[in-house]
Amino acid sequence: MAHALGSGELSSVEIVQAHLDRIAAVDADVHAYLHVDGEGALAAAREVDSRRASGEELHVLAGVPIAVKDVLATKGLPTTCGSKILEGWVPPYDATVVAKLRAAGMPILGKTNMDEFAMGSSTEHSAYGPTHNPWDLTRIPGGSGGGSAAVVAAYEAPLAIGTDTGGSIRQPASVTGTVGVKPTYGGVSRYGLVALASSLDQAGPCTRTVLDAALLHSVIGGHDPLDSTSINAPVPSVVAAARRADVKGLRVGVIKELGGEGYQNGVRDRFDESVALLQEAGAEVVEVSCPSFDYALAAYYLILPSEASSNLAKFDGMRYGARVLPAGVDDPSAEQVMAATRDAGFGDEVKRRIILGTYALSSGYYDAYYGQAQKVRRLIADDFAAAFEKVDVLVSPTAPTTAFKLGDKLDDPMSMYLQDVATIPANLAGVPGMSLPSGLADEDGLPTGIQILAPATHDDRLYGVGAALERMLLDRWGAPLLTQAPELSAKGA
Amino acid sequence: MATAVTEEVVDYDEALKRYDPVMGLEVHVELNTATKMFCGCATEFGAAPNSQVCPVCLGLPGALPVVNATAVESAIRIGLALNCEIAQWCRFARKNYFYPDMPKNFQTSQYDEPIAFNGHLDVELEDGTTYRVEIERAHMEEDTGKSLHVGGSTGRIHGAEYSLVDYNRAGIPLIEIVTKPLTGAGERAPEVAKAYVGALRELLRALGVSDVKMEQGSLRCDANVSLRPKVGDATSDEQAAVPLGTRTETKNVNSLRSVERAVRYEITRHAAILDKGGKIIQETRHWHEDTGVTTSGREKSDAEDYRYFPEPDLVPVAPTRETVEALRQTLPEPPGERRKRLQSDWGYSDLEMRDVMNAGAVELIQETVAAGATPAAARKWWTGELARRANAEGRSVEDFGVTPAHIAELDGLVRDGRLNDSMARQVLEGVLAGEGTPTEVADARGLELVQDDGALEAAVDKVIEANADVAQKVRDGKVQAAGALIGQVMKEMRGQADAGKAREIILAKLTS
């Protein structure tokens, strides 16, 4: 697409219009967008086209449209975080990631659906209704970035931005047959990303190919003076690594703790085949143990709610977003308005985590919960450090199962939380991770994903391994996986 | 709500016979950095409401803080000036609580890892002795916004019809300086409190880190007071072993005099309760300048749980030893030492020096002397006429637009014999009115002593002739009567005579 744009074969306006048409055709079924900005996207496309026509040297992705997860602030475009409490809020500023997309000349098609405040693994916790998996509309698209994965899988956008706090880019990528990357913590600015858990959140690319992800990564990555936790170093050479696509002599570690019990057979089979392919291509494969990963989920579900309870305190109905007056009260106090707003504005999962976090941080419990979780976090980082002494990258299945049915796990938060068991350690340690499609599970014909992890700031390794594997898998499956999605291909992808 | 609660108090001296007061002072200092603690917004005082705000200081969803490096430097300099240790590595923490003018519903502050800790400040008392105030910590935080409650009679939120919030102040860098419990001050406790805040203010002004204007809230003091029973004939060690009593915290006391009065009031109020066998409630209290009492604020009995945890949006602050040592080199001479040095240089008496201090005119005098005035003249102008006017108008002398150079020039004109004292005052009026420099004003107003001795002699002769009786008194040896003649000569010459010269001529004519 970028090539067609560069050569003048296609205009950006044509591409944007094609995607708007596709959205009009399928989004009623998929429900991946919360807000579509056709006019804005076309205006941006026209501008890029005229700049290109005047001979201006443009970014390789200039004119390629993109969708953005609704957790990133977009100036002049609604930003709801999938929550009623922010219904109607239009930020007066752009997140740094969004500003970089605009600067690169990428038209923004709209904002994608998500679990409320990024809490969930299925996008069923969106206050605006669930997104459906383009492979099977009765199934979940993963979460919390189900919208961003689904627009890419359903050809409603060529590229999307997601955010990953415990796997919310990688797990949706896995269950929708797309590529998702969580860069090194601090590799992409968090400025303007409405915080779920500040020490874990990371924005990243949702794409159909590894090279697409690398190109997008290079647009949004880099130091931001507005984010003190952003890394002050150049973006790793991810595009070059994706083009090189080489694994010869590379040491690949299979994480012993991720892939045993609870993993669907089809997921494990496809994973094993991918590892075998890497070995055939000249990689050295060894098993690596990361014993502390067993406690990752527990630590994560203390740290995340703790930070979230503080981050969400600002949503009190006083300054922006929804304000709900308590029923049957004549002259309500500020506290009553706040309580009524939060009661109506926050969904069950959000309330559950706020209460959990408030409890975990309260004096008398801090040491036993939050403090202990931080120690586990340290141990997990140590496990990674030890593993990366022995190997260059680590691999595991991305998610334990393929996409489950909508509604299946809604009443069982614990089983929902288990979806992220393999992805969470990377967030706790701040290391980068990628999920790419490893094939279709035999039992249900749905996509499965393989996760690749690298040491912090070595994001380029993900792209080298990912692109090599992608090429081998393409040979094996004969065509890009997405073209085999049955549900929407009928609608003319 | 406006019902005045008058509480019983006992006589101060009586209270001190039975109780030993212990204080803890918390001083909040607004730094005078150009931008806020965590964003690039301006910090100018008095700007239009909500004109100095951005997504960060408004706490908008997604916005992130970035630490102001200048504020950290100021914090380190303050720590060093207070003889503190400086942390090699410290973090910000979130203090979670709800407050209407706090945009994020948490305050970014420091908790268990302050930038500076374990220091002291020696404070001079009026009797010439020194009290050492031990400093527990100095930490960085951000200020909150400001609420204006409209429609009520008290200006407080209760009874108000609506409230307005100005977020200009939200995010302004604050340093909170907390003392250890101050014991052993005895009856001088209120004086120690006042002297400490005064010395701190002087130090901060010398450091140039804050405007330290208590009336504008850039320096605010919370005074904790508790009493413990006095042990008869106890040694100071024995007394120190008596457990501390329950404390009250009087918030936002905003003048030195009020600090002293509030501490004194709380001592007498606590004593009255304890005398009756009552219990002190741990609470915050409000100070009322007009009535000189404190009233109950928020009860703190079920201590608030702030759910502190390290601020994940900020990287730790880790000043290198080199940075700290470099900052140490920027510390000014300690104000106490400097004051003694200047007093001796200028030849002021203790009383004169105190006047200068009270007028906040040390720097002005120093600059004025440097510009060529005599120390005596510099003191006379800054602590006399100008200080009087500033007081009367409730302004600061610095705000008049009169510079040290102006005063030095004025003094020069007097010493050159061009102006006498009353003419100099008129010139100063002109300068205050913006008519120009002293020379320009003197020129424009035609103010100049008549230098022509002939004219002066003629005027003297005329006056002697017209006042023969007074002249006779002088001839008879009543020299002070000459004053009346000088006055007449001045009148004769419409004020433009050199009074000293006139006196010489009169005496020469009448007594030789």
Side-chain angles (χ1 to χ4, degrees), chain B residues 424-442:
Chain B
R425 277 174 208 283
Q426 292 176 54
V427 169
L428 184 63
E429 283 299 326
V431 177
L432 283 166
E435 292 168 22
T437 66
T439 309
E440 286 164 3
V441 173

Side-chain angles (χ1 to χ4, degrees), chain B residues 30-158:
Chain B
E30 267 186 8
L31 298 182
N32 59 4
T33 49
T35 57
K36 291 186 180 181
M37 189 75 215
F38 300 117
C39 66
C41 284
T43 53
E44 205 182 310
F45 182 81
N50 296 309
S51 61
Q52 297 175 163
V53 294
C54 73
V56 176
C57 55
L58 286 176
L60 289 188
L64 292 176
V66 176
V67 174
N68 180 338
T70 308
V72 174
E73 284 184 1
S74 295
I76 293 173
R77 292 179 71 232
I78 290 171
L80 291 171
L82 291 170
N83 306 292
C84 287
E85 294 170 50
I86 304 301
Q88 304 207 17
W89 191 91
C90 64
R91 278 182 297 192
F92 282 93
R94 288 193 188 173
K95 183 179 185 180
N96 292 282
Y97 64 106
F98 293 103
Y99 204 61
D101 47 21
M102 198 167 58
K104 295 173 290 193
N105 281 335
F106 62 78
Q107 183 184 27
T108 308
S109 178
Q110 288 194 297
Y111 176 49
D112 51 354
E113 300 168 306
I115 183 89
F117 49 93
N118 280 345
H120 64 262
L121 181 63
D122 288 330
V123 174
E124 263 182 64
L125 302 181
E126 281 191 12
D127 63 3
T129 60
T130 297
Y131 181 94
R132 172 161 288 194
V133 173
E134 302 279 350
I135 306 289
E136 169 90 33
R137 58 189 281 157
H139 71 248
M140 303 179 274
E141 60 186 35
E142 58 180 337
D143 213 339
T144 60
K146 238 178 177 171
S147 304
L148 181 65
H149 305 294
V150 183
S153 56
T154 60
R156 295 192 191 279
I157 194 163
H158 285 280

